Amino acid sequence: MPPLLSKRVALYLPMLSGGGAERVMVTLANAFTNRGIGTDFVLSKAEGPYLKNISPKVRIIHLNTSRMLTSVLPLAKYIQKEQPQAMLTALRHANVIAILATKLANFPLRLVISERSPLISTRAYAKGFRTRVMPFLMRLFYPKAYKVVAVSQGVADDLVLLTGLPRERIQVIYNPIDAPRIEVLGKSPPEHPWFAPNQPPVVLGVGRLTPLKSFKTLINAFSKLRDRRSVRLVILGEGELRNELQLLIENLGLTNEIALPGFVDNPYAWMRAAKLFVLTSIWEGLPCALIEAMACGTSVVSTDCPYGPSEVLENERWGRLVPVGDTIALAEAMDSALNDPNPPDVRKRAADFSVNNAVVEYMKALDIN
C-alpha cells in the first residue's frame, strides 16, 4: 500500500463495469495521482473490466459489499478512518449512498456528486421500484452535496427541472477523453478480417446492447444503406439485447455484413480503422464514445438526442445529426458522410475534451489545490 500523501481525494463507484461513467472515473483517478494527489478508488465490489486500467499509484479500497445499500456503513467507516479531503462520485445510486455515508461519518468531507445522464428523459423507461423512486431521492439528497456537477448543459438544465436546485449550484464539466492514450491504442490493427486492405468500408457502433443505445435503429438504417452500396457494420458491446439484435440481423439477411464481436479491450483500434462512427442513442448525458471516435479522426453521425450530441458536434459543425429513431434520415446521413470528400477534422473538436481541462475543473470543484 503506497504511503498517504498530504492531499487525498477519493472516488466512489459500485464497481468498474464497462460503462462510460466508469471509464471517465478511472481516467480522472489516474490524472489526479499523476498530479501528486493521493487518490483512493473506493469500490463496493472491486471487479469489472476497467479495474486493470487503474494506475498502480491509485490505492484501491474494496468495501466488499454485495448490494449498494449495504455499502453505506463501510463507506462511512472508510471516510472516518482515512479522512480524505474530498470525494467524487458518479451514477445516481452511488451519489445517494455517498451522501448518506458522509452524513453518517460526521466528517467535513467535500462531497462532489456528478450527474451523467438526463433523468426526465429516462423516467418513461423506468423499471423497478428503485428506479421509480430515484427522482424523490435526488430531490431529497442532492441539495446536501458540497457541489453538483453535470456533464453537459442539457443535463444541468434537466437537474434544475427535476430537483429544484438553483442553476448556479450546478457546474458543467465535460467528460474527459485521454487523447494521447487513444492515439497510441488506435494504431493497433483491429483483430477482424473486415479491416484488411481492399475490404468494403466499415461503419462502427459502440455501446451496451440496451434499449437506450437503439442499435435496432442502426441495424435497420444500415439495411437501407446496404441497398445503395457495399458496406459493413460492426457493433461493439454486450448487453441483454444481444439475442434480439442477432435475430433482427438474421431476419434482414445481413449475417455476412453485420458483426457483433462483443466487448473489446481496445475499441480505439476499431474506431480509427472504421470509415464512419454512428451513435443512435435515445438519450445521452455526454457521449464519450462519440468524442473518442472523433479523437481517432473518424467521421461521425449521431441522433440529435437529449443531451450531448448537439453540444459535442456544435449543431452539425463537426458531424451530421438526425432525428431519434428515423432510419431513413440515418441511412441518408451515413451515405452522405461516406461520400464526403472533405470531412471536417474532428480531432480539433475532440481536443476540447482533454483530460487536463477536466482535471483542472474537477480540482476546482473539489477545492483540491
Side-chain angles (χ1 to χ4, degrees):
M1 182 179 297
L4 292 178
L5 303 183
S6 58
K7 292 183 292 186
R8 186 148 220 90
V9 64
L11 294 85
Y12 170 64
L13 281 176
M15 58 188 295
L16 287 175
S17 55
E22 292 87 346
R23 185 168 64 247
V24 167
M25 291 284 274
V26 169
T27 297
L28 289 173
N30 293 342
F32 287 147
T33 194
N34 287 338
R35 286 173 173 255
I37 300 169
T39 305
D40 290 345
F41 214 127
V42 185
L43 297 163
S44 296
K45 290 190 282 189
E47 58 185 53
Y50 291 135
L51 193 63
K52 63 181 178 299
N53 294 336
I54 296 178
S55 166
K57 292 185 288 185
V58 174
R59 189 172 66 160
I60 297 173
I61 307 294
H62 184 194
L63 299 181
N64 196 25
T65 57
S66 58
R67 298 178 59 205
M68 281 290 294
L69 192 58
T70 59
S71 299
V72 175
L73 184 56
L75 183 58
K77 289 180 177 178
Y78 158 80
I79 293 169
Q80 288 176 331
K81 179 182 178 183
E82 302 297 346
Q83 299 187 349
Q85 290 178 306
M87 183 159 69
L88 174 66
T89 65
L91 304 176
R92 292 184 187 117
H93 300 94
N95 291 341
V96 172
I97 293 298
I99 292 169
L100 287 169
T102 301
K103 295 300 179 184
L104 185 61
N106 194 28
F107 176 75
L109 172 74
R110 297 193 292 271
L111 175 63
V112 176
I113 62 174
S114 61
E115 188 61 38
R116 301 183 174 274
S117 61
L119 190 73
I120 287 177
S121 299
T122 65
R123 289 171 77 177
Y125 299 88
K127 293 181 180 179
F129 173 77
R130 192 174 70 171
T131 305
R132 290 195 298 270
V133 79
M134 186 52 63
F136 168 76
L137 295 176
M138 292 170 70
R139 286 191 295 271
L140 182 64
F141 289 107
Y142 273 30
K144 302 181 188 300
Y146 180 70
K147 288 182 183 175
V148 180
V149 167
V151 297
S152 68
Q153 299 293 341
V155 170
D157 295 340
D158 187 78
L159 267 177
V160 170
L161 291 173
L162 180 73
T163 65
L165 281 168
R167 183 61 177 80
E168 57 270 19
R169 278 214 60 198
I170 304 171
Q171 180 179 351
V172 174
I173 304 178
Y174 286 140
N175 284 333
I177 56 131
D178 191 346
R181 179 173 177 270
I182 290 171
E183 176 69 20
V184 171
L185 292 175
K187 293 178 180 179
S188 301
E191 296 180 359
H192 198 282
W194 287 358
F195 294 97
N198 302 317
Q199 293 295 311
V202 173
V203 174
L204 182 70
V206 177
R208 288 175 174 158
L209 307 184
T210 64
L212 160 63
K213 298 301 182 182
S214 194
F215 285 125
K216 285 184 181 179
T217 299
L218 178 54
I219 291 169
N220 283 319
F222 175 81
S223 71
K224 301 179 187 302
L225 178 66
R226 188 68 179 76
D227 292 338
R228 305 182 184 184
R229 62 193 307 148
S230 178
V231 64
R232 286 165 171 163
L233 172 65
V234 173
I235 300 174
L236 301 179
E238 278 298 348
E240 67 266 25
L241 295 186
R242 166 173 280 280
N243 291 339
E244 197 171 319
L245 294 177
Q246 196 66 60
L247 182 61
L248 174 61
I249 293 167
E250 292 170 4
N251 289 340
L252 290 171
L254 294 172
T255 53
N256 293 324
E257 284 78 36
I258 301 178
L260 305 178
F263 180 88
V264 299
D265 288 330
N266 181 12
Y268 312 119
W270 302 66
M271 288 177 177
R272 183 168 178 172
K275 183 70 174 178
L276 179 67
F277 178 88
V278 180
L279 181 89
T280 50
S281 296
I282 300 171
W283 72 83
E284 288 281 351
L286 190 80
C288 281
L290 182 69
I291 303 167
E292 289 170 339
M294 294 167 70
C296 293
T298 303
S299 296
V300 296
V301 171
S302 175
T303 50
D304 190 11
C305 66
Y307 304 99
S310 62
E311 286 184 49
V312 173
L313 300 181
E314 295 186 316
N315 296 316
E316 297 199 298
R317 179 182 175 188
W318 303 100
R320 292 164 175 80
L321 292 166
V322 300
V324 172
D326 191 332
T327 57
I328 295 175
L330 181 58
E332 291 176 352
M334 289 192 292
D335 194 37
S336 296
L338 291 169
N339 287 329
D340 192 344
N342 297 300
D345 185 358
V346 289
R347 284 190 177 93
K348 292 180 179 178
R349 175 56 173 158
D352 294 335
F353 301 87
S354 70
V355 173
N356 183 68
N357 288 348
V359 168
V360 168
E361 291 303 311
Y362 272 108
M363 288 177 69
K364 291 178 183 177
L366 293 160
D367 287 339
I368 298 292
N369 300 312

